[in-house]
Amino acid sequence: MELAYYSDFAVRLVNTEQPERGGDSLTSVEAVRELFGPAQQAARRATDSDVTRLRAVRARLRAVFEAADEGDEVLAVDLLNALMMEFPVSPQISGHEFRDDNGRPKWHLHIADHAANATAGYTATACMGLAFHLTELGVDRLGICEARPCRNAYLDTSTNRSRRYCSDRCATRANVAAYRARKRLESDRSARTGRTAERAQESSALGDR
C-alpha cells in the first residue's frame, strides 16, 4: 500500500466534525470502525475510549490543515511533527501477497500495526500519510473548504494547485452564491444610477423655470 493513500485517513477524521454547523458524526465505536475503511483488522480493536481519544486527535489535525490554509507552513509542520512524535510509525517492507509477471514479490513500504490501541494506530497512519503528502506535494496542498459553513478539510491534487473547495457540491454552491451576489450588486448600482438620473432631470427642470 502506497504511503500517499494514508493521507486520506487524516481528511476522513477531520471531516467527522462540522464545527460551524455544530455537527459531529464521531459519536460511537461503530463510527470509529467506519473510519478505518478496508482495514477491518485494526478497526476491530476500537472501544468506547477511542471516541474521546480520536476527537482530541481530530482537533489537532484540523489545526494542521487550518495553519496550512492560512499560509503558515512552519506552524503546520510543527503541529504535524508533534503528532508524529507522540504517535510514531513502524514501517515494514511488504509484498508477499502481490506478484509480478515473473512471480517475484512487488515490494513496497507498509505501515506495520503494532499500536497499543485503535487511536494510536489510526493516528500514526494518518500523520504518516499527511507528512508524505505534505513533503512530496507541498504544504499549500492542504486546505479548508471556502464554502461556508462547510469548512471541511481537503487535499489538493490538482495539476495547477487551484482547488478551493472540498467537493463539486460546495464549489457549485459557492459559485451560485457569488453569481447572485454579483447580480444584487449590479441591480443596486442600476437602481442608484436611475435615481441619480431622475434627480438630475428634476434639477434641470427646476432650473428651466
Side-chain angles (χ1 to χ4, degrees):
M1 187 176 292
E2 296 182 1
L3 292 180
Y5 165 82
Y6 295 129
S7 59
D8 191 52
F9 278 53
V11 174
R12 289 207 301 268
L13 177 56
V14 171
N15 291 345
T16 59
E17 182 183 29
Q18 297 272 316
E20 295 196 10
R21 290 172 172 162
D24 190 343
S25 62
L26 188 57
T27 58
S28 65
V29 175
E30 288 71 26
V32 171
R33 289 172 180 158
E34 287 178 6
L35 281 172
F36 282 87
Q40 293 302 314
Q41 183 174 352
R44 281 195 289 270
R45 292 184 301 163
T47 66
D48 288 331
S49 298
D50 289 301
V51 176
T52 302
R53 286 193 289 250
L54 277 172
R55 282 179 171 180
V57 170
R58 179 179 66 189
R60 295 171 66 182
L61 280 174
R62 176 170 283 278
V64 174
F65 278 92
E66 289 177 343
D69 187 66
E70 293 167 3
D72 194 340
E73 60 182 87
V74 174
L75 177 59
V77 169
D78 287 346
L79 292 172
L80 185 55
N81 273 336
L83 276 165
M84 288 195 293
M85 288 286 289
E86 190 173 337
F87 299 96
V89 298
S90 300
Q92 68 180 26
I93 300 174
S94 182
H96 293 292
E97 67 276 29
F98 301 109
R99 302 280 174 171
D100 61 20
D101 294 337
N102 297 318
R104 298 180 59 189
K106 294 183 178 180
W107 301 116
H108 59 277
L109 273 178
H110 188 87
I111 296 179
D113 187 9
H114 303 308
N117 54 62
T119 295
Y122 190 95
T123 305
T125 300
C127 290
M128 188 63 201
L130 199 57
F132 182 83
H133 192 98
L134 184 152
T135 54
E136 289 297 306
L137 300 178
V139 182
D140 58 340
R141 294 290 190 155
L142 280 60
I144 296 290
C145 185
E146 292 185 10
R148 292 185 179 275
C150 176
R151 307 302 287 163
N152 271 348
Y154 66 83
L155 295 170
D156 185 359
T157 57
S158 64
T159 56
N160 58 355
R161 300 174 183 263
S162 61
R163 187 170 179 179
R164 297 164 54 201
Y165 306 103
C166 70
S167 64
D168 290 339
R169 180 181 178 182
C170 278
T172 299
R173 190 171 72 246
N175 289 334
V176 169
Y179 173 79
R180 289 174 177 171
R182 287 196 301 270
K183 286 300 182 181
R184 285 195 299 269
L185 182 60
E186 290 172 3
S187 178
D188 290 343
R189 286 176 175 170
S190 177
R192 286 197 298 270
T193 301
R195 288 194 295 269
T196 301
E198 288 177 1
R199 285 195 293 270
Q201 289 176 356
E202 291 173 356
S203 297
S204 178
L206 290 172
D208 293 339
R209 290 179 182 176

